[in-house]
Amino acid sequence: MINKSLYIFSVFLLACCTNMHAQNVVQNKRHKEIHKVSFGIKGGFNSTMMFINKISYGNQKINDIENNYKIGYTATVFTRINIKKRHFIQPEISYTISNSSISISNLNSNAATLKDNALIKTKMASINIPLLYGYKFINSYPYGMSFFLGPKVSFTIDKQSECKYSGFYQENIKETIQPINYGAVLGIGVNISNIFFDFRYEIGCNNITKSVEYDKISTSEPHNEKELTIKRHKNVLGFSVGFIF
């Protein structure tokens, strides 16, 4: 009776081990197949920081500038291509809304150039195309962590973008954003199986302002005699959650 029980238990244990081994083989095979070339989607939020190089009216520089962080959002599709065990290339295309505001006090040195405390509110809609190189410094399925970096090109959607000015002597100020902007991306990605979290910082490499114009006829003298100049670039801190197919 005991020998029969031991026999049945041995057969059951062997069957369990065989089944577990087969599942591991299938899972590992599936994992390798998925990660040769993968497609993914992600969505998230961003916080935009406008770094001001220059705001001036003629030769009069405007000071006391404060950057106010605003929340935007992004949606992305991407392809991840493994080129080695721990290295990958990841081209992306995303639709992004970036919001920001800049407040300027009209006290002290700005009293002659500003009518009131000034505010510049910016909404930028763009199609972004980064090309990222990544390195997986943790690559033990189902867990992973990678570092990535690369260049980015952004195409401004003019009809969905706007800049609003208040507090200036100049009337009906209109700022035109550059149609194409360039930047660099660096960040860290963390994944658990097919779900991943993306933390990144995007650095703007060019002045995003193409031109600034205002209505000189309706602006009172002497505030309609010189050009209003703004030079700034956009940095973005982003977080997103996605899924790799």
Side-chain angles (χ1 to χ4, degrees):
M1 183 69 180
I2 295 176
N3 290 337
K4 185 177 181 181
S5 298
L6 288 174
Y7 175 76
I8 294 173
F9 177 75
S10 299
V11 171
F12 176 75
L13 184 63
L14 179 62
C16 289
C17 292
T18 303
N19 183 57
M20 289 178 62
H21 176 71
Q23 287 181 351
N24 288 334
V25 169
V26 171
Q27 186 181 48
N28 290 335
K29 182 179 180 182
R30 181 174 178 269
H31 169 64
K32 289 179 181 179
E33 289 176 351
I34 288 176
H35 284 78
K36 289 178 181 179
V37 178
S38 302
F39 300 92
I41 58 173
K42 60 180 179 176
F45 301 93
N46 61 65
S47 178
T48 301
M49 295 150 278
M50 290 292 179
F51 286 84
I52 309 302
N53 303 104
K54 180 182 180 182
I55 300 182
S56 63
Y57 173 64
N59 294 324
Q60 296 175 297
K61 187 177 179 180
I62 298 175
N63 303 299
D64 297 325
I65 300 167
E66 182 179 350
N67 195 6
N68 305 310
Y69 304 108
K70 300 294 181 181
I71 300 299
Y73 56 89
T74 184
T76 304
V77 295
F78 64 89
T79 300
R80 177 173 292 186
I81 305 167
N82 274 359
I83 52 178
K84 285 186 179 180
K85 183 178 180 181
R86 292 181 177 268
H87 303 262
F88 63 88
I89 297 295
Q90 184 167 303
E92 301 180 352
I93 181 167
S94 63
Y95 171 76
T96 300
I97 296 291
S98 301
N99 296 307
S100 68
S101 71
I102 300 166
S103 55
I104 312 169
S105 171
N106 71 331
L107 301 177
N108 303 323
S109 60
N110 295 332
T113 53
L114 296 178
K115 178 171 61 176
D116 199 351
N117 291 333
L119 184 66
I120 304 174
K121 296 177 67 175
T122 304
K123 175 187 175 182
M124 288 183 62
S126 60
I127 299 296
N128 306 317
I129 304 178
L131 180 60
L132 305 176
Y133 158 78
Y135 176 77
K136 305 172 188 175
F137 51 88
I138 296 178
N139 188 28
S140 179
Y141 187 81
Y143 306 106
M145 182 176 288
S146 59
F147 169 79
F148 56 84
L149 54 83
K152 182 190 76 168
V153 180
S154 298
F155 300 91
T156 303
I157 304 173
D158 187 59
K159 292 183 178 180
Q160 298 180 26
S161 303
E162 61 179 355
C163 300
K164 295 182 179 180
Y165 286 70
S166 61
F168 290 80
Y169 283 107
Q170 291 74 31
E171 298 288 344
N172 302 320
I173 299 173
K174 181 181 179 181
E175 178 182 353
T176 302
I177 302 296
Q178 296 279 7
I180 302 176
N181 294 291
Y182 304 93
V185 179
L186 56 93
I188 291 178
V190 178
N191 70 277
I192 303 172
S193 186
N194 295 82
I195 299 172
F196 72 93
F197 305 91
D198 185 305
F199 307 87
R200 64 178 58 192
Y201 188 64
E202 301 178 5
I203 303 169
C205 297
N206 67 290
N207 176 26
I208 66 170
T209 302
K210 182 179 180 180
S211 64
V212 179
E213 300 174 346
Y214 64 93
D215 189 345
K216 293 186 177 182
I217 296 176
S218 60
T219 301
S220 59
E221 297 181 356
H223 305 290
N224 60 353
E225 300 172 352
K226 301 175 183 178
E227 297 299 323
L228 188 62
T229 302
I230 298 177
K231 293 182 179 180
R232 55 179 172 160
H233 65 274
K234 181 184 74 170
N235 288 10
V236 180
L237 181 66
F239 166 75
S240 59
V241 179
F243 190 86
I244 302 177
F245 296 96

